[in-house]
Structures are given as C-alpha cells and as structure tokens.
Amino acid sequence: MNKDIDNEILARYLSGESTVEGKKTVEEWLRSNPQNAKVINVLKTIWENAKVTSDPSDVQSLWEELQQKDGITESSEDTNAKTIRLKNENRFFSIFKPTTGQVLRYAAVFIILMLLPYFVYQYITSDKSGSTSDWKSLTVAYGDQSGITLEDGTKITLDAGSTIQYPEHFPNQNREVKLNGEAFFDVTHNPNKPFIVKTNNTKVKVLGTQFNIRSWEENKVEVIVADGKVSFSSEKNRSETVILERGFASELSPEGIPINPYSIDLDKSFSWMKGEITFSNTKLSEVLNQVERWYDITIILLDSGVGNEKVSVFIQKHSLDETLKLITALIDSKYEKNGKTITFSPR
C-alpha cells in the first residue's frame, strides 16, 4: 500500500468519521495513483464485513475470529498484546490488545490495515460471488468521463472519480458489480440472472432496466430509475427494501435504511452525462466535491463553516473560470488560483 498516507486517516475515512482535512488527504491520495482506488475499494469491502465493536467484552471474540482465518496463528507473553504470524511468511505483527477501560472504535480496521496484504489476497481469491481472480477494475480520472460494456451487453457510464469493479465472466447465479462514485446503468435483460450493484453497504438488484446510482460517501447513496423496476436495500438491515419504478428515486436515511420512493425529474437527474448538473438545497461542500472531480482541482475554503451552507445552483461543465465565478457569487467570496489548487476567501 502507498506509504504516503497514514493508517489512522484511512481508518477514520472507512468508518465515515473523517475530518475535512482527512477526507481531502484521502482524495488526494486516491488521485495520486490509480492503484490506490483499487486498494480503497478492497478495504471498503473488508470494512463492510468486518466486526467493529465499541464493547470491550467483544475483544476476545474479535481475536478468536482472526485466529480462525486460514494461515493465522498467534503467540504472546504479554496478556495485553497479540503477535500474529502468517504461515509460510516470515512476517510478524505485534498488535496491542486494549484493556477493558479502553474504547475499541477502530480496533477491527487497524487490524485489517496491518494485515492488509494477507486480507487482500484472501478477498481476491475467495470472493462470495464466485472466483474473483478474473475481476477487473476501472477508475475514471478526475476531469474525465468514461463508459464500459460488460460481457452480457450491459452498458455503464461513469462520472469522474468513480470506480467500478466487475468480473471478466459472470458466474451462473447472478451478475454482480461493485461501485464507488456515480454511474448510469443500462442493464441487459436476463430473467434467469439478476444484475446486482453493491455500494456503500447497499444493494441494488434488477433483471434488466436503466437506473442511476450516486454513491460518493459512506451511508449516502441515491438510486434513480429511468426505466423498468429495481429493488434497493441496505446490507445492514436487509428486511428494509424499497421497490422503485420509472421516475422514482430513493436514498439512505440517516439511520442507513432506504426511504420511501419519491418522484424526481429524470432529465435533471441524468444531465451529468452531458456535463450539466442541478443542485437543489444541497450543502456547498457537496457541490464543491463535484466541481473538484469534474475539473481535477482541489478547493480550499478559508471559512470552513461556509461548506455547510445549503445552496441551489445549476452548473455546466464548460469554462472553469466561469464555474468559479458562479461559486463566488453564491457565497460572496473571492478566489485565488495556484496551479490546480483554488482557495476561496471572504470578500
């Protein structure tokens, strides 16, 4: 894994508790090397299936669960530490075992990060949806837009900064892909093999339809249906499922479950593929994140509080300067350009 990023920053990012600075650090790290996007996607998958606990009584079960993994043994003379060894490798990891009075909020993810090479190998060679030795990954660079056609004829259009993981050949039982970012899917109909998209602890399942998924942040997923019908459910609470039809959308509630479907303007929802996007009563920070992806820039707000302000704005991906002027009018500010870094400050 790239050594230019701190494990704690990644841990907070995976747990959805990044600071503004931490999130920017991860985003810059992702942009610095396409391989980093693949690493973060594997980490997210492991994190979603990991046992994270804040209850000290669960510590021992966490260690026991690790021991059951093939190839992991442990020994220690210190009751407050564990030394984990990977079979067939001269590699040892001494991991501090927190005592009863300590909070274990990031215990599982730190273990995962320290054992990353092993877990990535295990994940790649034993994925639940079938052999992933032939899985591929496409990451769209900031400033770009790209598309891909899968072996079944399904077409996927990806926005800047998005990553799609897909098998070279689908197994017999289903067609499963994994998304981080925003994508429009035109799925080839096959009643015998459902098409499944997994993203940020949610699952979208269809037989053949057209729909859009926006999934940039943990527990922030929106699904919009252009044609046909899809089911949208949470991996955390699979009993909570909504069915969406053409012209309707759903998103995750703060509790992490899909809300009731609501009608939506399809033309505006899919206009990002034409380089246009409409934000309505949206946090400025989310608008700026989209601008960063579209123009491959980094935006700094000297008045960080303004990022929480709600704005409504229509943006066309044409001149960067025109877009920046639009932002200055929104928040009554001025900006300074230094290479690919744009700094906004109060007038």
Side-chain angles (χ1 to χ4, degrees), residues 77-100:
E77 296 178 358
D78 183 350
T79 57
N80 287 329
K82 297 290 184 182
T83 300
I84 292 180
R85 177 180 182 179
L86 306 187
K87 290 180 181 177
N88 302 322
E89 293 189 34
N90 293 319
R91 303 179 64 185
F92 296 82
F93 300 88
S94 294
I95 302 174
F96 177 71
K97 177 181 177 181
T99 56
T100 303

Side-chain angles (χ1 to χ4, degrees), residues 183-197:
F184 180 84
F185 295 81
D186 185 354
V187 178
T188 300
H189 184 73
N190 186 340
N192 299 316
K193 189 180 288 190
F195 191 93
I196 297 171
V197 183

Side-chain angles (χ1 to χ4, degrees), residues 158-173:
L158 294 149
D159 198 7
S162 302
T163 297
I164 190 80
Q165 291 177 285
Y166 59 96
E168 186 173 5
H169 302 291
F170 287 117
N172 293 328
Q173 63 272 29

